[in-house]
Amino acid sequence: MTATEPSPAVRALPPLRVARERFLSGRPLPDGVPEEVLAAWRRARFFGVPHDLREPAADPPRPPRSPLLGAARPVLERIAPTLGAGPSVLLLTDARLRVLWTSGSAPGLIPCSVLSEQEVGHNSAVLALRRRARAEVHGPEHFLDVWQDVSAVSVPLLAPAGGQPLGTLTVASRLRSGRPPHPQAGLAEAAAAAVEAALPARAAGPERVLLEAYLKAARSQDRAVVALDGRNRLINAAAERLATPEVLRALEHTARAARHTDAPGAAELPEGAGCDARIDLVRQEGAVVGIVAVLEPTGENTPRTRPRPLPCLAGSSPPWRHAAERAAGLARSAGPVLLTGERGTGKTALARELLGPGAPQLVDAAEGGSLEGELARWAGDGPLVLRHAERLTQPAVAALNSLLDAHPDTRLLVTHTPGTPPGPCLQRLLDKLAARTVVLPPLRERTEDIRELLSALAPRAPHRATRH
C-alpha cells in the first residue's frame, strides 16, 4: 500500500476556487497556487477540454475483453456494498483510463467512459497512473465545473510481474472540507491490493493456454496435432511424420490471421500437401491466442511417412534426418542457406546434394587467396557452394555481404565450422543468415549413422571397429 500527503488544494479551497475562476477568465492569478494544479489546468486548456463539459463528446469503444476486469469484477462486487448509503462511486479503469466497471452514484459525477486528461482534464486517476502511487484530487483542483464539489482518490493497479500499470481504482464522493485525506482512501487501497492479489490466478499467459489446448488434443498418440500461435509451435510425432515444412508455414499463417481477425481459421494448405487440417481456435478471455490443427492424411487411412528428401546421403538417425529435411525445405525456396556444425558432419556433401544435379561452383576459403574478385564475378550466376566461411578474409566477407544485399534470392550454400570468435563482418553475415541456418548434429549424437557412413565411404573395408 502507498500513501500521499493531503492534497495541497484542500488546505485552502476558497482561494483555489478564486484562482480557478481567474485562470478561466484570463485574469492574473493570486500567489500560492500549487504549481502542479496550475500545470494541470494549462494542459486541459491546451487539449481543448471545455470547463463547462456536461457530457463526454463521444464514447470510445470499451475494450470487449479485459483480463484486468475478469480478475477485478469478483473483488469489486464484494467491496461495493461497503461504500454504504452515502453518495460514492467506485470506478475501475484500464491503463488507457477507459472505464471498465462502475458502481454507485454521486451528484456532480457525469457518466464518463474515459478519464483521460485529454477528455476530461485533471483527475485523480490520471495523477495516480502518472505517479504510480495513490493520488487525490479535490474540488477546484479539477478543471471541469461539474467536479468542483467532488473529492476523489485513485490507486494504480500494477502487474504482478514487472510492475507495469494495468489500470486504476477510484473512489469518488462529495467534497468534505477539513477532512483530508479522502475518507475512503483506505478502502481504495484495500480494494486495489485485493485486485492485485487476484491477478496472478487469472494471469496464465497465452503460451500456457496454447499448451493446455495442445495436450488436450494430443491425448491420443494416433492423432497428428499441431498447435501454433505464429511465434511458437507444438507438434507431436504423428504430425511431424505427416506435415511438410510448407504445411507448417501455411498453418502458422492461419494462426497469425486468426489472432488478428478474431475469426475462425481456414487453413489453405499447399497443393499436394497430402493431408487436410481441421482447425480449432484457442481463446483466452475470449480473445484468440492461437490454433490447434488436427491433420488427417488424404486418400490414406494412416499417416504416411515422408521419404527422405536426400536419398543419396548416408545416415538415417533422427537428428540427421531432421537436419537434412530442414535444409531441404530451406533450399526449395529462394535465398542462401548456412550449414554449420563440427568438422566431419557432412556439410559439404549435404550442400552438394541440396543443389541437385549438375556441378555447382565450389569455392573453398581454406585454400587461401583473394576471393573478392571471384565472388564479384560470380554475382549470383548459378548455384555456389562456399566452404569454410570462418576462413574468409574481412574483405571477402564484406564482398559477400554486399553481394547478398544486391542478390538476396541467390542460390548459395555456405558452410561454417564454429571455432574462433567471428569478426564484425563475419558476424554480420551469420546474423543475416540466422533465419536460414541449419545446425548439423555431430557424429557423437548419431552413432547409428557411423556404419552407414563407413559402408558408403569404404564399401570393401572391414567394419570390425564399429563393433567396439
Side-chain angles (χ1 to χ4, degrees):
M1 295 186 181
T2 59
T4 61
E5 292 295 324
S7 172
V10 177
R11 301 190 185 99
L13 287 178
L16 194 60
R17 291 190 188 277
V18 173
R20 178 179 174 275
E21 292 173 0
R22 286 177 171 270
F23 175 84
L24 294 176
S25 62
R27 291 180 291 168
L29 299 181
D31 296 334
V33 179
E35 184 59 34
E36 185 178 52
V37 175
L38 180 57
W41 293 345
R42 288 171 175 163
R43 286 194 300 273
R45 185 167 61 185
F46 174 79
F47 292 138
V49 178
H51 66 86
D52 56 353
L53 179 70
R54 293 289 175 178
E55 295 181 359
D59 289 346
R62 178 176 293 188
R65 307 172 189 90
S66 169
L68 174 61
L69 179 59
R73 186 192 293 273
V75 175
L76 299 181
E77 288 178 347
R78 292 196 304 269
I79 292 177
T82 64
L83 292 174
S88 297
V89 175
L90 183 61
L91 289 167
L92 174 73
T93 76
D94 63 9
R96 294 168 57 185
L97 294 175
R98 296 174 296 184
V99 177
L100 303 177
W101 184 92
T102 182
S103 176
S105 63
L109 285 177
I110 60 175
C112 293
S113 56
V114 62
L115 296 180
S116 69
E117 204 170 26
Q118 292 86 345
E119 297 291 334
V120 295
H122 189 50
N123 60 81
S124 61
V126 169
L127 196 56
L129 208 58
R130 183 182 304 137
R131 292 178 175 175
R132 296 198 181 189
R134 196 190 86 192
E136 300 183 16
V137 174
H138 303 276
E141 289 183 76
H142 294 103
F143 186 73
L144 298 185
D145 294 346
V146 293
W147 287 353
Q148 294 306 294
D149 293 319
V150 171
S151 178
V153 55
S154 297
V155 181
L157 299 170
L158 305 179
Q164 69 270 25
L166 301 177
T168 64
L169 192 64
T170 299
V171 179
S173 59
R174 183 183 294 276
L175 178 65
R176 301 182 184 184
S177 60
R179 294 187 62 185
H182 193 285
Q184 291 166 316
L187 173 65
E189 289 191 330
V195 171
E196 289 180 347
L199 283 171
R202 302 293 293 262
E207 293 83 2
R208 177 73 181 183
V209 176
L210 185 69
L211 173 61
E212 291 175 353
Y214 164 78
L215 293 175
K216 182 178 179 181
R219 285 176 181 172
S220 172
Q221 295 183 355
D222 296 333
R223 301 180 76 190
V225 178
V226 185
L228 315 99
D229 61 4
R231 298 184 300 266
N232 304 289
R233 179 192 299 174
L234 301 170
I235 180 169
N236 67 357
E240 189 174 7
R241 291 192 299 268
L242 187 60
T244 64
E246 291 77 11
V247 167
L248 294 177
R249 280 195 291 269
L251 292 175
E252 286 179 340
H253 177 76
T254 302
R256 286 191 292 268
R259 290 185 61 190
H260 288 94
T261 61
D262 198 21
E268 296 183 4
L269 301 185
E271 186 178 355
C275 62
D276 293 326
R278 189 185 76 245
I279 304 297
D280 293 321
L281 300 181
V282 180
R283 297 181 181 271
Q284 182 186 31
E285 298 288 344
V288 176
V289 297
I291 65 170
V292 170
V294 178
L295 307 182
E296 297 178 355
T298 55
E300 301 177 12
N301 295 324
T302 57
R304 61 182 174 84
T305 301
R306 280 181 291 153
R308 246 185 333 126
L310 305 172
C312 295
L313 293 179
S316 58
S317 65
W320 170 252
R321 234 177 21 244
H322 175 76
E325 290 174 356
R326 169 170 163 74
L330 291 173
R332 280 194 288 267
S333 60
V337 177
L338 175 65
L339 304 176
T340 183
E342 297 179 1
R343 295 181 59 186
T345 53
K347 298 185 290 295
T348 302
L350 177 58
R352 289 179 181 274
E353 188 69 24
L354 291 173
L355 292 178
Q361 184 176 351
L362 180 65
V363 175
D364 194 339
E367 295 179 354
S370 176
L371 301 180
E372 303 92 287
E374 191 170 352
L375 291 172
R377 286 191 298 273
W378 173 67
D381 184 18
L384 173 69
V385 176
L386 175 61
R387 300 184 64 201
H388 300 296
E390 71 281 357
R391 302 286 293 274
L392 287 170
T393 62
Q394 293 291 341
V397 180
L400 184 58
N401 280 323
S402 300
L403 188 149
L404 292 179
D405 290 338
H407 304 277
D409 295 334
T410 189
R411 295 201 70 193
L412 171 66
L413 274 296
V414 181
T415 72
H416 172 254
T417 303
T420 58
C425 287
L426 180 57
Q427 187 60 59
R428 182 186 167 213
L429 175 65
L430 298 179
D431 294 341
K432 185 179 300 183
L433 301 179
R436 298 179 60 83
T437 295
V438 179
V439 180
L440 301 189
L443 282 174
R444 62 177 176 274
E445 295 180 4
R446 49 189 180 105
T447 54
E448 58 266 51
D449 291 341
I450 294 178
R451 182 180 296 275
E452 294 184 43
L453 289 170
L454 288 174
S455 299
L457 296 173
R460 298 183 181 181
H463 300 158
R464 196 174 295 116
T466 63
R467 292 194 284 267
H468 296 284

PDB file of all heavy atoms in Angstrom, residues 152-169:
ATOM      1  N   ALA A 152     -11.941  12.864  -4.935  1.00  0.00           N
ATOM      2  CA  ALA A 152     -11.665  11.529  -5.462  1.00  0.00           C
ATOM      3  C   ALA A 152     -10.279  11.074  -5.055  1.00  0.00           C
ATOM      4  O   ALA A 152      -9.343  11.875  -4.965  1.00  0.00           O
ATOM      5  CB  ALA A 152     -11.789  11.521  -6.986  1.00  0.00           C
ATOM      6  N   VAL A 153     -10.154   9.768  -4.821  1.00  0.00           N
ATOM      7  CA  VAL A 153      -8.874   9.138  -4.531  1.00  0.00           C
ATOM      8  C   VAL A 153      -8.720   7.958  -5.474  1.00  0.00           C
ATOM      9  O   VAL A 153      -9.671   7.213  -5.706  1.00  0.00           O
ATOM     10  CB  VAL A 153      -8.783   8.681  -3.056  1.00  0.00           C
ATOM     11  CG1 VAL A 153      -9.928   7.761  -2.680  1.00  0.00           C
ATOM     12  CG2 VAL A 153      -7.444   8.015  -2.774  1.00  0.00           C
ATOM     13  N   SER A 154      -7.532   7.812  -6.052  1.00  0.00           N
ATOM     14  CA  SER A 154      -7.259   6.727  -7.004  1.00  0.00           C
ATOM     15  C   SER A 154      -5.985   6.014  -6.612  1.00  0.00           C
ATOM     16  O   SER A 154      -5.039   6.625  -6.098  1.00  0.00           O
ATOM     17  CB  SER A 154      -7.116   7.269  -8.432  1.00  0.00           C
ATOM     18  OG  SER A 154      -8.315   7.857  -8.881  1.00  0.00           O
ATOM     19  N   VAL A 155      -5.963   4.709  -6.875  1.00  0.00           N
ATOM     20  CA  VAL A 155      -4.804   3.866  -6.605  1.00  0.00           C
ATOM     21  C   VAL A 155      -4.470   3.110  -7.894  1.00  0.00           C
ATOM     22  O   VAL A 155      -5.373   2.543  -8.523  1.00  0.00           O
ATOM     23  CB  VAL A 155      -5.078   2.865  -5.462  1.00  0.00           C
ATOM     24  CG1 VAL A 155      -3.845   2.020  -5.173  1.00  0.00           C
ATOM     25  CG2 VAL A 155      -5.532   3.606  -4.213  1.00  0.00           C
ATOM     26  N   PRO A 156      -3.205   3.121  -8.306  1.00  0.00           N
ATOM     27  CA  PRO A 156      -2.857   2.373  -9.524  1.00  0.00           C
ATOM     28  C   PRO A 156      -2.876   0.873  -9.280  1.00  0.00           C
ATOM     29  O   PRO A 156      -2.597   0.406  -8.178  1.00  0.00           O
ATOM     30  CB  PRO A 156      -1.450   2.872  -9.855  1.00  0.00           C
ATOM     31  CG  PRO A 156      -0.869   3.225  -8.528  1.00  0.00           C
ATOM     32  CD  PRO A 156      -2.025   3.775  -7.716  1.00  0.00           C
ATOM     33  N   LEU A 157      -3.192   0.114 -10.317  1.00  0.00           N
ATOM     34  CA  LEU A 157      -3.144  -1.338 -10.270  1.00  0.00           C
ATOM     35  C   LEU A 157      -1.955  -1.780 -11.102  1.00  0.00           C
ATOM     36  O   LEU A 157      -1.869  -1.462 -12.295  1.00  0.00           O
ATOM     37  CB  LEU A 157      -4.434  -1.929 -10.839  1.00  0.00           C
ATOM     38  CG  LEU A 157      -5.716  -1.549 -10.089  1.00  0.00           C
ATOM     39  CD1 LEU A 157      -6.945  -1.978 -10.866  1.00  0.00           C
ATOM     40  CD2 LEU A 157      -5.727  -2.167  -8.700  1.00  0.00           C
ATOM     41  N   LEU A 158      -1.029  -2.491 -10.485  1.00  0.00           N
ATOM     42  CA  LEU A 158       0.225  -2.864 -11.126  1.00  0.00           C
ATOM     43  C   LEU A 158       0.271  -4.366 -11.382  1.00  0.00           C
ATOM     44  O   LEU A 158      -0.259  -5.159 -10.599  1.00  0.00           O
ATOM     45  CB  LEU A 158       1.413  -2.436 -10.255  1.00  0.00           C
ATOM     46  CG  LEU A 158       1.459  -0.959  -9.859  1.00  0.00           C
ATOM     47  CD1 LEU A 158       2.662  -0.668  -8.976  1.00  0.00           C
ATOM     48  CD2 LEU A 158       1.463  -0.065 -11.087  1.00  0.00           C
ATOM     49  N   ALA A 159       0.918  -4.742 -12.483  1.00  0.00           N
ATOM     50  CA  ALA A 159       1.031  -6.154 -12.851  1.00  0.00           C
ATOM     51  C   ALA A 159       1.881  -6.900 -11.832  1.00  0.00           C
ATOM     52  O   ALA A 159       2.850  -6.344 -11.289  1.00  0.00           O
ATOM     53  CB  ALA A 159       1.632  -6.285 -14.243  1.00  0.00           C
ATOM     54  N   PRO A 160       1.552  -8.162 -11.537  1.00  0.00           N
ATOM     55  CA  PRO A 160       2.334  -8.933 -10.556  1.00  0.00           C
ATOM     56  C   PRO A 160       3.793  -9.066 -10.949  1.00  0.00           C
ATOM     57  O   PRO A 160       4.676  -9.016 -10.101  1.00  0.00           O
ATOM     58  CB  PRO A 160       1.627 -10.296 -10.534  1.00  0.00           C
ATOM     59  CG  PRO A 160       0.286 -10.067 -11.121  1.00  0.00           C
ATOM     60  CD  PRO A 160       0.423  -8.937 -12.075  1.00  0.00           C
ATOM     61  N   ALA A 161       4.066  -9.260 -12.239  1.00  0.00           N
ATOM     62  CA  ALA A 161       5.442  -9.398 -12.715  1.00  0.00           C
ATOM     63  C   ALA A 161       5.779  -8.186 -13.566  1.00  0.00           C
ATOM     64  O   ALA A 161       5.106  -7.893 -14.537  1.00  0.00           O
ATOM     65  CB  ALA A 161       5.595 -10.679 -13.539  1.00  0.00           C
ATOM     66  N   GLY A 162       6.815  -7.473 -13.169  1.00  0.00           N
ATOM     67  CA  GLY A 162       7.251  -6.323 -13.944  1.00  0.00           C
ATOM     68  C   GLY A 162       6.762  -4.998 -13.414  1.00  0.00           C
ATOM     69  O   GLY A 162       7.401  -3.969 -13.606  1.00  0.00           O
ATOM     70  N   GLY A 163       5.596  -4.985 -12.763  1.00  0.00           N
ATOM     71  CA  GLY A 163       5.108  -3.767 -12.155  1.00  0.00           C
ATOM     72  C   GLY A 163       4.559  -2.739 -13.123  1.00  0.00           C
ATOM     73  O   GLY A 163       4.356  -1.588 -12.738  1.00  0.00           O
ATOM     74  N   GLN A 164       4.291  -3.118 -14.380  1.00  0.00           N
ATOM     75  CA  GLN A 164       3.743  -2.133 -15.294  1.00  0.00           C
ATOM     76  C   GLN A 164       2.305  -1.831 -14.912  1.00  0.00           C
ATOM     77  O   GLN A 164       1.567  -2.704 -14.455  1.00  0.00           O
ATOM     78  CB  GLN A 164       3.830  -2.600 -16.749  1.00  0.00           C
ATOM     79  CG  GLN A 164       2.929  -3.759 -17.091  1.00  0.00           C
ATOM     80  CD  GLN A 164       3.613  -5.085 -16.882  1.00  0.00           C
ATOM     81  OE1 GLN A 164       4.535  -5.198 -16.084  1.00  0.00           O
ATOM     82  NE2 GLN A 164       3.161  -6.104 -17.598  1.00  0.00           N
ATOM     83  N   PRO A 165       1.850  -0.584 -15.091  1.00  0.00           N
ATOM     84  CA  PRO A 165       0.482  -0.229 -14.699  1.00  0.00           C
ATOM     85  C   PRO A 165      -0.551  -0.883 -15.600  1.00  0.00           C
ATOM     86  O   PRO A 165      -0.426  -0.872 -16.824  1.00  0.00           O
ATOM     87  CB  PRO A 165       0.467   1.301 -14.835  1.00  0.00           C
ATOM     88  CG  PRO A 165       1.565   1.629 -15.784  1.00  0.00           C
ATOM     89  CD  PRO A 165       2.609   0.577 -15.593  1.00  0.00           C
ATOM     90  N   LEU A 166      -1.569  -1.470 -14.982  1.00  0.00           N
ATOM     91  CA  LEU A 166      -2.649  -2.103 -15.715  1.00  0.00           C
ATOM     92  C   LEU A 166      -3.916  -1.271 -15.717  1.00  0.00           C
ATOM     93  O   LEU A 166      -4.782  -1.456 -16.574  1.00  0.00           O
ATOM     94  CB  LEU A 166      -2.965  -3.469 -15.107  1.00  0.00           C
ATOM     95  CG  LEU A 166      -1.819  -4.482 -15.067  1.00  0.00           C
ATOM     96  CD1 LEU A 166      -2.277  -5.753 -14.364  1.00  0.00           C
ATOM     97  CD2 LEU A 166      -1.335  -4.790 -16.466  1.00  0.00           C
ATOM     98  N   GLY A 167      -4.038  -0.356 -14.759  1.00  0.00           N
ATOM     99  CA  GLY A 167      -5.233   0.458 -14.658  1.00  0.00           C
ATOM    100  C   GLY A 167      -5.269   1.189 -13.335  1.00  0.00           C
ATOM    101  O   GLY A 167      -4.243   1.322 -12.647  1.00  0.00           O
ATOM    102  N   THR A 168      -6.453   1.660 -12.961  1.00  0.00           N
ATOM    103  CA  THR A 168      -6.610   2.389 -11.701  1.00  0.00           C
ATOM    104  C   THR A 168      -7.927   1.998 -11.046  1.00  0.00           C
ATOM    105  O   THR A 168      -8.871   1.556 -11.713  1.00  0.00           O
ATOM    106  CB  THR A 168      -6.612   3.919 -11.921  1.00  0.00           C
ATOM    107  OG1 THR A 168      -7.759   4.276 -12.710  1.00  0.00           O
ATOM    108  CG2 THR A 168      -5.347   4.372 -12.624  1.00  0.00           C
ATOM    109  N   LEU A 169      -7.981   2.212  -9.743  1.00  0.00           N
ATOM    110  CA  LEU A 169      -9.205   2.030  -8.964  1.00  0.00           C
ATOM    111  C   LEU A 169      -9.490   3.356  -8.260  1.00  0.00           C
ATOM    112  O   LEU A 169      -8.606   3.914  -7.594  1.00  0.00           O
ATOM    113  CB  LEU A 169      -9.024   0.910  -7.946  1.00  0.00           C
ATOM    114  CG  LEU A 169     -10.296   0.410  -7.257  1.00  0.00           C
ATOM    115  CD1 LEU A 169     -11.232  -0.212  -8.282  1.00  0.00           C
ATOM    116  CD2 LEU A 169      -9.958  -0.602  -6.184  1.00  0.00           C
TER     117      LEU A 169
END
